[in-house]
Amino acid sequence: MTTLHEFPTVPAFGHLPTPDGVDVVGIDLPVGRLTAYRVVPSGPSKGTVLVVPGYTGSKEDWRTFMPFLRDAGWTAVAISRRGQADAAAPDDAAEYTLDAEAADVVRVARLLDDGTPVHLVGHSLGGVIVRAAVLQEPSAFRDVVQFCSGPHGWPYRKAAELTILNDTGSNRALFDAQNPLWAGRPDDELPDDARMVRERFDATSVRSTIAGAHILEDHTDTSDELRATGVPVLVAHGEWDEAWPIPWQRAMAERTGAAYEVIPTSYHSPQIENPQGTVDVLDRYLSAH
């Protein structure tokens, strides 16, 4: 049985509406207050799922998907990581290490469902972080989903982005470089999704972005260590995932002894591009544990 922890309600981030039945809450940790979406099914809960977003993301990447998890019978919490959007953002760049991010995930997990183990999903860079969280404290998790995430990064992967970030000290400069069609345009000329992304770039700590880029360049592979924890693993990605080499993801599944699923008609964010296909995969796997 899932037991709900009392978290304070906080304002939504950005201009997009929050779907009905999705709560926006604050989760207080030593680093400060993280923000999160939370959903609770109307009937009995199958369990609690903790979702960790990726590199330049936040909980808002899961805004439209949370109702799918709820309607499938899951209690779910999707966090914004330290430094992302409206989450606590330390001033010291040294506070954005992989170990620190993983410790946040463990602490959040222990606050959910009376500290009993939860299901863990990490998207892209979030997959690297949740793997590190499982290595820190395997007993906190029932299973872990490496979602559109790989076994390791590669040198100079984010070299161009790091040059922009270090030269300008600005996430907005990175957004403009990645989105030249929308650079310099007023909010009312941007599509809703592009406007939300720019709002998030503006609010996110540039220290968080730089640290995330460096983690994505790290070539350390902890697949063997993850397998040794005994925590069940699912590796899942979009059919056309372009952000992480698909052969690497398949090989990671083999090395970790993981289940392996390809979500059709989707790229690097299947929860947005094929939400029904994504919830079918997650529900089937999580229900088995």
Side-chain angles (χ1 to χ4, degrees):
M1 177 180 177
T2 298
T3 303
L4 293 180
H5 186 92
E6 290 298 324
F7 295 118
T9 299
V10 299
F13 173 79
H15 76 287
L16 291 177
T18 303
D20 291 342
V22 177
D23 300 322
V24 188
V25 299
I27 302 178
D28 294 318
L29 301 182
V31 70
R33 175 167 287 181
L34 304 187
T35 59
Y37 287 138
R38 182 181 64 183
V39 293
V40 180
S42 57
S45 176
K46 296 177 179 178
T48 300
V49 182
L50 172 58
V51 180
V52 179
Y55 171 47
T56 55
S58 64
K59 67 183 183 295
E60 283 69 31
D61 290 336
W62 297 80
R63 180 180 65 90
T64 56
F65 186 73
M66 297 299 282
F68 284 83
L69 284 170
R70 176 199 63 210
D71 294 346
W74 296 96
T75 300
V77 172
I79 64 170
S80 288
R81 299 178 4 248
R82 60 171 64 193
Q84 290 185 322
D86 55 351
D91 291 331
D92 186 352
E95 294 294 315
Y96 294 94
T97 64
L98 178 59
D99 284 346
E101 295 257 21
D104 286 347
V105 173
V106 173
R107 291 184 179 109
V108 172
R110 289 306 194 192
L111 291 174
L112 305 177
D113 205 4
D114 277 349
T116 59
V118 302
H119 305 277
L120 184 59
V121 178
H123 178 233
S124 196
L125 172 59
V128 179
I129 292 168
V130 301
R131 184 166 63 233
V134 173
L135 295 180
Q136 283 188 11
E137 195 161 344
S139 64
F141 307 105
R142 294 185 184 278
D143 46 41
V144 58
V145 180
Q146 302 285 105
F147 188 64
C148 301
S149 185
H152 54 76
W154 58 92
Y156 308 111
R157 178 181 187 180
K158 295 295 182 180
E161 294 178 20
L162 282 165
T163 296
I164 294 169
L165 293 166
N166 288 316
D167 286 352
T168 67
S170 166
N171 282 324
R172 172 65 74 95
L174 180 57
F175 174 87
D176 288 347
Q178 293 179 338
N179 301 274
L181 184 63
W182 309 120
R185 298 277 195 94
D187 285 347
D188 59 8
E189 292 184 9
L190 269 61
D192 274 341
D193 287 346
R195 178 180 168 186
M196 190 285 294
V197 170
R198 189 167 74 179
E199 290 169 344
R200 180 168 63 195
F201 266 85
D202 287 344
T204 292
S205 166
V206 72
R207 298 174 183 84
S208 169
T209 311
I210 290 171
H214 284 302
I215 293 171
L216 288 169
E217 292 187 338
D218 189 344
H219 203 264
T220 305
D221 183 352
T222 56
S223 296
D224 292 339
E225 290 88 341
L226 178 61
R227 183 170 190 157
T229 67
V231 175
V233 181
L234 168 65
V235 173
H237 62 78
E239 180 181 5
W240 306 309
D241 188 356
E242 74 288 2
W244 226 299
I246 288 174
W248 290 14
Q249 297 188 63
R250 190 181 305 114
M252 177 175 65
E254 293 173 359
R255 288 192 63 184
T256 57
Y260 177 69
E261 294 274 2
V262 177
I263 301 167
T265 59
S266 60
Y267 294 86
H268 189 56
S269 295
Q271 82 279 13
I272 297 171
E273 298 141 2
N274 184 357
Q276 188 60 55
T278 300
V279 78
D280 289 346
V281 165
L282 293 180
D283 181 54
R284 184 167 57 248
Y285 180 78
L286 301 180
S287 294
H289 300 99

